[in-house]
Amino acid sequence: MNEVTKIDGIGSSVRRTEDKKFLTGKGKYTDDINRPGQVQAYFLRSDVAHAKIKKIDIKNAQSAPGVIGVFTGDDIAADKVGGPICGWVVPCRDGSATKEPPHPLLAQGKVRFVGDAIAVVLAETAEQAKSGAELIDVDYEELSPVVDFENAGDGAQIHDEVPNNCYFDWELGDEKATADALSGAKKIVKLRVRNNRLVPNAMEPRCALAEFDNLDDSYTLHTTSQNPHLTRLVLAAFMFAIPESKLRVIAPDVGGGFGSKIYVYIEEAVCVWASKKVGRPVKWTADRTQAFLTDCHGRDHVNDVQLGLDENNKIVGLRVDTVCNLGAYLSAFSVVVPTYLHGTLLSGQYDIPAIYTNVKGMATNTVNVDAYRGAGRPEATYLLERTMETAAREVGMDPAEFRRINFIPKDAFPYQTQVALQYDIGDYEPHLDKAMEMIDYSNFEKRRAEAAKRGMYRGIGISSYIEACGLAPSAVVGALGGRVGLWESASVRVNPTGTISVFTGSHSHGQGHATTFAQIVADKLGIPMENVEVVHGDTDKTPFGMGSYGSRSLASGGSAISKAVDKIINKSKKIAAHLLEASEDDIDFKDGKFVVGGTDKEKAFGEIALAAYVPHNYPLETLEPGLEENAFYDPTNFVYPSGTHIAEVEVDPATGVVQVVDWAACDDFGNLVNPMIVEGQVHGGIAQGIGQALLEDAHYDENGQLLTASYMDYCMPRADDLPSFKVGYTTTPSTVNDLGVKGCGEAGAIASPPALINAVIDALSPLGVTDMSMPATPQKVWKAIQDSQSVAAE
Amino acid sequence: MYSTKYVKPNSTTEALEAIKSLGEGKFLAGGMTLIPTLKQRLASPDGLVDISGCKLDSIADEGETLKIGAMARHVSVAESAVVKKAIPALAKLADGIGDRQVRNRGTIGGSVANNDPSACYPSAVLALKATIHTNIRSIAADDFFTGMFETALEDDEIIEFISFSKPTKANYVKFPNPASRYAMVGVFVAQFGDEVRVAVTGAGEGGVFRHQEMESVLSSNFSADSLSSVKIDSDGLISDLHASAEYRANLIKEMTKRAVV
Ligand SMILES: Cc1cc2nc3c(=O)[nH]c(=O)nc-3n(C[C@H](O)[C@H](O)[C@H](O)COP(=O)(O)OP(=O)(O)OC[C@H]3O[C@@H](n4cnc5c(N)ncnc54)[C@H](O)[C@@H]3O)c2cc1C
């Protein structure tokens, strides 16, 4: 029998309703879409890192079989189409602005990284386009490539507009107060850490299909985007100077993004441009090599840290000097990631009275670097948690206790950090305690001794992280140099029979919104979640929205939905009052029913919906018919998830292999809508963090060639690299939004790398090893053991 | 991929005729190496001769030797009761190649003909005193591998089967490259009475090689401990992003120790 009594509301681990199509291979991705008459695009890319283009000869390509058109930067320039823009800039220490060099869609006079697009070839088939491109002759004058970003200031200048290859030199915090604090400190702990460069590796490579309709002068672009509205805005307003209404952007099923699909890339724009130029739909699909070479990479920092302690081992001050690699052009959020999404997190979970940080963003002849799962916050957490562990070790304290005495106390919230953010709420000791309990911290030394008997070195490492997510209060964003607002939108349509269509500005590319968002609506309206459908990803269907990144979909997008549902309930009460001949104030809404308080008079939600659309008995003089509401939600603050992860590893000294043997993650994400989806996000995040800490490394050689441009050399985490995770929660509901939710999408990737590296160092500490860089590959670990032994032998 | 011709003959004789008629033709076995090369346009043969219909996939115990057809897939070798009984180490090796998809397609003949310096099979061929039987001759393993990606095979010569000598004892231990999971170092140790052969793959600049010193040490004392005094020279070993020559030297000794049980 079909009993529909249980509401799968907030807090219920409902299975993801969208998974049926994905698990059966029925997802519909951009590359699955084909339009009549479409042509295929292939981009000829630079195979040198830095060169002037003396001449491009396209003659032979133009007459190649199947080729329809060959275009270069000059053709784009002739049509005055602009390049991608930087969405957020920061002021420099010397008062100057961020240097923003142009990023032409196709190279103009110069190439700046291996993979920089020089020309596009359009042909009947992808193979013909590629063959055509092979016939293009490019005459280069090679320039010396700049690869080492720490010394990029001394390298050949990459852009005329960027002296010393420095895009910006930014600071935050009180330099003088921090210097004073450090000079008065009893002990200063110094550390230099490197955050290795990562390739995002979304499972679905980027793809675009653009079509021009010459009857009404409009474009349709299907593309692999995390934020179709933003893509439309940038393309229409900044690049093509056309009304937004003349461009429809659809991001259908998208196979992962991790940040790499936030930005508008040159290929999408060229497809849009070319679709009009040749009067046929234009499709481009990246292969994996192009993904490696041209998707924005992540991380790539070097941080010099100084942490001052007083005689009680309390932190008195923190200074961090960072140099980061932003690559050949400034990508959309490349500037904000290492600055406001990084520097503002340097207080972590700790009460630090003085903080100062300086960040230099460098240009190099490598592909652009931008947001990647966590975006700035993993880098901040890594340097801080590595430093905390090192400090504890140096002062001879248990790392957990050292953290505990420095935590912001529970009663100090809201807590104003020295780096701009105000944490609304948090309670850090419970998740530390719980994680320690989950991993049986107190018996660790027994396990270490047991492992030693087997010839293995066992270690344990902690990371207590905080992140700011739910991006973001627009006013704050604007004050800090952001060029966008970061609210989110929702439209909730009640259909005549009481079913619901939710139109959200958030975009789902693996997060499970169709389930989570439906649960919120079902919970609030007291209706089964099967009756709620979630629509996203099409600028013609959904309200203008800012998309999904920065763990914002639930906190911002979910809150917008919740607000729209509140409006629905309010209007429904008015309708119910009319139907029940009662005063609106006397109507209670509970379990999907509108009841006149203290009576048995009631109307079900479905009856109200029907009355709204068939308004035969309806207060038409005071109320519009229909039941559909929009809401825009702009948060008043970030939300601050926090937690403690503890990793346990065993190192085989003979080979240097690190095995992750146990993992405890205890997170405070506020209220959980779907605990199972949250747990999945935690698992995925930790897997990516373990990838960064042990396996992944994007490596350019001194000529600017990406040596790790395939899975033969770039190591992604696989299931057998991972332990079984122990996942637990503590809860301090966010005070920022009505749902009390924070965000969980990036936490695992933020928390895990320092926990793991701390564990590796702990394992090797009996050998005198005190440092280890990421990724801790077998060769590197083995070398560290050899070096420590030769030191010991001296 | 450039467009190319494709034929699928039913016998070795037809395959040889086909390849002669093609100019620069290539035999296609499992395609796990060849197809990616074509897709990346790193090769443009005039045609492909698919030898999967040539009935070269038998596996048979012939008393002194174990005979495996060139087209035997890795999965067939891994799961074969005959192989598991005759030379279990060979089944174990096949079971550790690549992933399930690769094992379902890739073949022993393709692996040996390709002689990738990181491939697993060449070490077994060398350690197990195998003979490579082609359409025109039989080649001893010691004469077959002539350098990285180089073998004694002539143009248009086809491997039909490989016969392995049955050892008293054998083992293969592989340290996978973390990214590709090919052998960063793989060591095949085979004991034939008093004789011990140690073949190392993944490490040599010239491809697979035998390690004489370890062979002689193990011949007099077949134990992991006896290897402690052996010093592995890093000269001639591959140095790349993943492993320096020194680290590979360490792995060679360590994997050999683990293979001697
Ligand atoms: C992801 C991945 C992981 C892998 N991991 C491993 C690993 O861990 N260890 C390992 O050893 N290998 C590994 N391989 C390689 C795999 O074993 C391949 O199967 C093998 O290299 C080639 O075999 P094939 O049958 O696919 O040959 P093909 O690709 O069809 O052919 C390879 C070459 O050999 C020639 N050839 C094929 N058969 C014959 C024959 N009978 N006579 C003469 N010439 C012939 C072809 O003309 C071609 O030049 C991996 C491959 C992949 C794609």
Side-chain angles (χ1 to χ4, degrees), chain A residues 127 130-131 134 289 652 654-657 695 699 707-708 711-715 718 720-721 778-779 782, chain B residues 1-2 39-41 175 177-182 184 240-244 246-247 250-251 254-255 258:
Chain A
E127 291 294 334
K130 195 170 177 180
S131 296
E134 285 174 359
T289 307
D652 179 348
T655 58
V657 169
L695 309 165
H699 187 88
L707 297 186
T708 50
Y711 294 126
M712 293 299 283
D713 291 303
Y714 189 90
C715 187
R718 295 159 162 100
D720 63 356
D721 292 314
Q779 135 157 288
W782 177 78
Chain B
M1 174 166 171
Y2 298 107
K39 276 186 162 175
Q40 291 182 323
R41 297 189 164 193
F175 189 94
N177 174 311
S180 72
R181 300 223 170 157
Y182 272 81
M184 198 144 89
D240 59 22
L241 265 190
H242 306 282
S244 64
E246 292 70 33
Y247 181 54
N250 169 66
L251 288 178
E254 193 55 36
M255 294 306 111
R258 291 177 189 193

